[in-house]
Amino acid sequence: MGSDINDAFISTHQFSVTMVANTQRWWIRAGGRGRTSIMILCQRWGKREWAIATAGFAIVLLAFSFIMSSDSSSSSHNFSGATTSDFVPLILLSNAVQRGAYCLDGSVPAYHFQKGFGSGSRRWVLHIEGGGWCNTIASCSFRTKTALGSSKYMEHQVQFSGILSHDPSHNPDFYNWNKVKIRYCDGASFAGHPESEQKNDSKLFFRGQLIWEAMMDELLSIGLSNAQEALLSGCSAGGLATLIHCDDFREILPKDAKVKCLSDAGFFLNEKDIAGNATIQSFYHDVVHLQGAAGSLKKDCVAKMEPSKCFFPQQIVKSISTPVFLVNPTYDFWQIKNILVPGPVDPLDGWYKCQLSIHNCGPEQIQVLQGFRNSFLKALSEFQQMKDGGMFINSCYIHCQTWMSETWHAPNSPRINNKTIAESVGDWFFDRKVTKYIDCPYPCNPTCYNMDFTFH
């Protein structure tokens, strides 16, 4: 079952090559109020492979927007609404070798940096890339041939949009801040430790914690040490990394700085699948054991329970002292595909059409999804009581929402109480108002950006 979770995440580099190399054409529509379809070139996959691949669509979207932005005829359909000035070059971590901080394959980790200006010159927003986890030697080895395990395969430049956009119309509160995109190449949400490398003979590097420390040291040296305000954010596995390292981030910055953390689609539930199997708990156990991630988890939690349970956000947020904001859909398509209904428990593809589009789900399936939503809200109940916490929990069928302007802040972006995600995060960060928004159940919110993977 773990292989489905790993295979779901296709690196943008790998997918870009597939699009260029293959000649079969498919249409994928991003659903919600007649949004534009994107034509892409893909492999001749069967139903099962497509069901797995769609779970990583949030990551693949970056490749789509990258290619589309270079085509002037498609510029009006660019999801992120970014311009060529939003493309930011890759920077290899200069202190990596000295610190022993390596990607899974031993290559040097990397990031992208765009300098702030004006009132944002001493303000920083960091965004950690997502990309799942690897729980076996085989799955980690596979990642070494992709951008999720090696900087050799990372794009030389990426598009900054959403929370990283420098356009005030797309990013009203953080547009002129120093902005950093941290590339993800360790497979354990920056929590791996080198001591665990002795367990294998495959020459894999489990250096997530060292990458985090080396990355912070380098960013401190280029101006982060003088930050007046800072926001650490991340998507998916990067959202989990944000929670794991949130208090560490607070500790390295000036005591008088305003420091907060934002986890986007990083609140993964410790929920059994529809067959009653503890699929995600078993998977996380393997990740934590393989990469020695317990050393990066909250000590008070690890002292009380099995370490892999402390890899779940519901446990992590109990011990975080730094203010945290959670952006998450209650119908997270990645979690529905990989936690609630993983492939092995759906051998007859009864959930196949439902997973492609929530609009295809039958009454009984909707009832199961509503149960998952209820479990999600129950897991959030303790966090909801925390004074400094913020939430934007919508009822959309999507995964990450902060890194694309289309879902972060645009005329047709998802809203709760008539507020976009960007406006809600800004209200919370700057203490303009208490922001704890929880949407009504599907299908009540007409502003939702519901992903639709149905092929036409």
Side-chain angles (χ1 to χ4, degrees):
M1 283 183 275
S3 62
D4 269 10
I5 297 178
N6 286 306
D7 294 343
F9 290 95
I10 305 171
S11 75
T12 54
H13 172 87
Q14 183 185 7
F15 204 87
S16 298
V17 171
T18 301
M19 286 193 286
V20 173
N22 210 287
T23 57
Q24 183 172 6
R25 294 171 183 261
W26 292 93
W27 286 88
I28 291 181
R29 184 178 71 243
R33 296 168 295 166
R35 301 187 193 280
T36 305
S37 299
I38 306 174
M39 186 172 65
I40 61 171
L41 303 173
C42 303
Q43 290 177 316
R44 296 177 180 270
W45 288 334
K47 286 175 67 178
R48 173 61 62 198
E49 288 80 8
W50 272 112
I52 293 171
T54 55
F57 194 69
I59 295 172
V60 175
L61 270 174
L62 183 59
F64 296 166
S65 58
F66 181 94
I67 290 174
M68 291 172 67
S69 64
S70 64
D71 182 353
S72 59
S73 65
S74 303
S75 60
S76 63
H77 305 311
N78 192 327
F79 271 88
S80 62
T83 63
T84 54
S85 60
D86 284 311
F87 286 90
V88 182
L90 187 73
I91 302 173
L92 295 178
L93 201 57
S94 64
N95 63 354
V97 176
Q98 178 186 358
R99 299 293 298 269
Y102 301 114
C103 297
L104 284 168
D105 71 330
S107 61
V108 174
Y111 63 99
H112 305 261
F113 171 59
Q114 190 174 64
K115 191 172 179 57
F117 58 93
S119 61
S121 59
R122 291 184 61 191
R123 293 171 169 84
W124 290 70
V125 57
L126 282 60
H127 188 77
I128 305 175
E129 180 181 36
W133 312 268
C134 56
N135 67 326
T136 63
I137 296 300
S139 60
C140 288
S141 296
F142 175 81
R143 292 167 80 97
T144 64
K145 303 302 180 184
T146 76
L148 294 175
S150 172
S151 60
K152 297 175 184 177
Y153 297 93
M154 293 177 184
E155 306 91 326
H156 294 299
Q157 58 179 3
V158 298
Q159 189 180 80
F160 273 17
S161 60
I163 195 172
L164 296 179
S165 174
H166 78 280
D167 185 338
S169 67
H170 295 152
N171 192 20
D173 283 311
F174 309 106
Y175 72 95
N176 64 347
W177 288 29
N178 294 281
K179 295 181 283 289
V180 181
K181 180 182 179 70
I182 299 174
R183 301 305 297 266
Y184 177 47
C185 67
D186 72 287
S189 291
F190 294 99
H193 286 255
E195 294 81 4
S196 59
E197 293 168 5
Q198 299 171 4
K199 301 173 185 175
N200 72 84
D201 299 319
S202 59
K203 297 182 180 178
L204 289 169
F205 293 84
F206 299 140
R207 306 290 177 93
Q209 179 66 37
L210 291 177
I211 294 174
W212 167 261
E213 293 171 1
M215 185 72 66
M216 292 303 105
D217 282 351
E218 180 144 328
L219 296 180
L220 287 169
S221 72
I222 63 173
L224 181 61
S225 60
N226 295 317
Q228 293 176 330
E229 295 179 321
L231 176 62
L232 175 66
S233 69
C235 149
S236 193
L240 178 58
T242 295
L243 296 176
I244 291 172
H245 293 292
C246 181
D247 282 342
D248 300 334
F249 185 64
R250 163 68 274 186
E251 284 297 314
I252 65 173
L253 293 177
K255 285 186 170 61
D256 59 348
K258 179 193 287 282
V259 180
K260 299 187 179 184
C261 302
L262 163 63
S263 176
D264 175 14
F267 201 90
F268 298 94
L269 287 192
N270 187 2
E271 186 81 354
K272 290 183 178 179
D273 63 35
I274 57 172
N277 304 314
T279 299
I280 189 66
Q281 183 175 313
S282 175
F283 181 82
Y284 272 2
H285 174 272
D286 293 344
V287 173
V288 171
H289 179 73
L290 177 68
Q291 297 216 34
S296 293
L297 303 177
K298 293 293 184 181
K299 291 181 173 57
D300 59 339
C301 181
V302 174
K304 292 184 294 187
M305 60 184 70
E306 203 279 320
S308 62
K309 293 183 178 179
C310 302
F311 206 62
F312 284 96
Q314 184 178 356
Q315 300 301 329
I316 297 173
V317 296
K318 292 179 180 180
S319 303
I320 296 178
S321 58
T322 307
V324 170
F325 194 100
L326 300 176
V327 173
N328 238 102
T330 50
Y331 308 93
D332 184 320
F333 72 70
W334 190 94
Q335 295 199 48
I336 290 169
K337 168 60 194 169
N338 293 283
I339 296 178
L340 184 63
V341 194
V345 304
D346 186 33
L348 300 180
D349 286 341
W351 280 80
Y352 173 68
K353 291 183 178 179
C354 177
Q355 288 173 338
L356 290 180
S357 171
I358 195 169
H359 303 302
N360 297 334
C361 299
E364 292 183 2
Q365 291 170 324
I366 289 293
Q367 187 174 358
V368 172
L369 296 184
Q370 301 298 21
F372 189 76
R373 175 182 181 270
N374 291 338
S375 295
F376 198 98
L377 296 182
K378 182 178 179 181
L380 281 175
S381 59
E382 189 172 339
F383 176 82
Q384 189 177 0
Q385 304 305 316
M386 295 181 179
K387 179 183 176 182
D388 296 327
M391 297 189 302
F392 189 100
I393 310 299
N394 58 5
S395 296
C396 307
Y397 189 65
I398 197 167
H399 189 46
C400 294
Q401 300 178 84
T402 63
W403 62 284
M404 290 190 301
S405 294
E406 181 76 8
T407 47
W408 172 246
H409 187 71
N412 291 329
S413 289
R415 283 172 165 75
I416 303 178
N417 292 355
N418 204 32
K419 291 277 190 176
T420 64
I421 297 173
E423 291 169 330
S424 304
V425 171
D427 285 346
W428 163 79
F429 186 90
F430 296 105
D431 304 308
R432 293 192 290 248
K433 64 180 297 186
V434 175
T435 308
K436 295 185 178 181
Y437 298 149
I438 297 180
D439 214 350
C440 47
Y442 172 84
C444 72
N445 191 339
T447 71
C448 263
Y449 191 103
N450 294 315
M451 299 308 296
D452 185 341
F453 304 104
T454 307
F455 310 123
H456 299 276

